Amino acid sequence: MRVGSVVSLLIIVLTSRSGTVAMGSELDVPMVIAHRGASGYVVEHTLPAKAMAHAMGADYIEQDLVLTKDDQLIVLHDIHLDLVTDVAERFPGRARSDGHWYAIDFVLDEVRQLSVHERVDRKTGKQVFPGRFPLQKSSFRIATFSEELELIQGLNATTGRNVGVYPEIKSPAWHRQEGKEISPLVLAELRRYGYLSSDDHIYLQCFDPAELRLLREKWHTNVKLVQLIGSNSSGESAIDYDAMRTDAGLAQVATYANAIGPSLGHLWSGDKSDGRFAETDLVTMAHRHGLQVHPYTVRADDLPNGFASLGQLLSQLLQQRVDGVFTDHPDQCRKGLGR
Ligand code: G3P
Ligand code: CA
């Protein structure tokens, strides 16, 4: 074999899977991040969903965090309680004029009285994912952040595993408008449970770049930070996520964050089943800036346009060399990723 060919071969070997993963990635295959727990099987963000995710071999388990009126951190995806609890029946007079029951208007003792169920559609009242845990069955409650951390750490102790946590600070600017600083309370709770350094098994995520900068530059956290990337077209935020997905935007993100969390739709355009499918260069650009890439959300019962199976979707993600995947189905992802 000619010297040139040997060099080429070496380059191919060295730039295979592990060589292209961003610095700081923990595994040479994508990490499995249990999105709201094993939420494909048990009601999202409940302790049983988190225990199931742990048992299914998730590497990290996600917590979305909002504050109650008495400044308690609870694990809840929305800032309001409407779509996953019986708050309307239990506290009929407590909605704001916009028709929402906000968690921040309830003290923890009241939140604890609520029954939690599968997410329903606001207009139809039907389950968003029809094949998931049946409505009106069993009994589920909202957990505090500390209860969830103690569950995960307890399961780590009894199983000998070291499953990480992946909290998301929800709507920090909105909390501020309501007179509350959520981030310092999150950091205090993390400190209390030993999540302090960049080596600890934690990623702290937020959609708001200004808040992530505050976390790094004002509150001086050393934990790994994840810039979530939303959509300009959703109209929910003034943040320019399109600019964030450019090379210059990612260079900025890399000054304060360790990873990005794009939606699956940011990794390609078109429909997988027709000739218009094309990968974007987001993962390559992010890796060039030293950022890991953890896209959301892989759902076995809700595949992106044109994908015929979960296996096909996971193959696509492996091919694009993502570093982790948020999933409602951690067991199926683990299997499909060859873990
Ligand atoms: O945090 C990753 C993913 O969960 C972002 O979307 O709306 O499910 O919190 P969301
Ligand atoms: Ca989230």
Side-chain angles (χ1 to χ4, degrees), residues 35-36 62 64 77 168 170 205 207 228 296-297 326:
H35 181 247
R36 310 181 199 174
E62 190 200 25
D64 292 314
H77 178 268
E168 177 184 346
K170 282 291 185 193
Q205 46 168 344
F207 277 102
L228 294 171
Y296 63 89
T297 303
F326 283 93

Side-chain angles (χ1 to χ4, degrees), residues 36 43-46 74-89 101 103 111 114-122 128 135-136 140-142:
R36 310 181 199 174
V43 176
E44 69 177 50
H45 278 324
T46 60
I74 56 171
V75 184
L76 183 72
H77 178 268
D78 308 332
I79 54 176
H80 49 73
L81 297 152
D82 315 0
L83 302 178
V84 293
T85 77
D86 61 349
V87 68
E89 294 92 70
W101 282 259
V111 168
L114 300 174
S115 176
V116 186
H117 53 68
E118 265 297 313
R119 178 167 292 274
V120 294
D121 180 83
R122 179 173 300 286
V128 172
L135 293 173
Q136 320 293 351
F140 300 100
R141 294 282 178 268
I142 291 176

Side-chain angles (χ1 to χ4, degrees), residues 11-25 27-30 282-293 317-323:
I11 289 170
I12 290 165
V13 169
L14 291 172
T15 55
S16 67
R17 176 77 234 163
S18 59
T20 54
V21 171
M23 282 176 62
S25 187
L27 302 166
D28 62 359
V29 289
L282 181 64
V283 180
T284 311
M285 279 193 297
H287 284 170
R288 212 161 45 226
H289 290 289
L291 292 162
Q292 297 176 47
V293 182
L317 293 170
L318 281 169
Q319 185 179 306
Q320 290 192 242
R321 303 190 182 285
V322 303
D323 305 283

Side-chain angles (χ1 to χ4, degrees), residues 151-277:
L151 175 80
I152 293 168
Q153 294 193 343
L155 289 170
N156 283 346
T158 53
T159 61
R161 298 181 58 220
N162 191 4
V163 174
V165 299
Y166 208 124
E168 177 184 346
I169 299 173
K170 282 291 185 193
S171 306
W174 181 84
H175 277 89
R176 200 165 288 125
Q177 275 171 31
E178 295 286 320
K180 293 186 187 295
E181 284 286 358
I182 183 171
S183 292
L185 296 173
V186 172
L187 291 179
E189 204 69 331
L190 290 174
R191 265 196 306 278
R192 192 155 79 93
Y193 286 95
Y195 300 100
L196 295 163
S197 82
S198 57
D199 294 330
D200 291 326
H201 277 204
I202 175 171
Y203 287 84
L204 181 56
Q205 46 168 344
C206 193
F207 277 102
D208 185 338
E211 195 72 10
L212 288 165
R213 282 185 185 279
L214 286 174
L215 283 159
R216 191 66 94 210
E217 293 159 14
K218 179 175 175 189
W219 294 308
H220 304 295
T221 186
N222 291 319
V223 302
K224 295 181 283 293
L225 296 180
V226 182
Q227 174 69 64
L228 294 171
I229 303 181
S231 143
N232 283 16
S233 60
S234 76
E236 286 169 13
S237 151
I239 296 162
D240 186 352
Y241 292 113
D242 290 348
M244 199 179 272
R245 288 188 283 126
T246 64
D247 198 57
L250 292 167
Q252 281 297 308
V253 171
T255 64
Y256 58 84
N258 305 84
I260 56 168
S263 77
L264 290 173
H266 293 147
L267 302 190
W268 51 73
S269 60
D271 185 310
K272 183 67 175 170
S273 65
D274 62 31
R276 290 171 296 139
F277 184 85

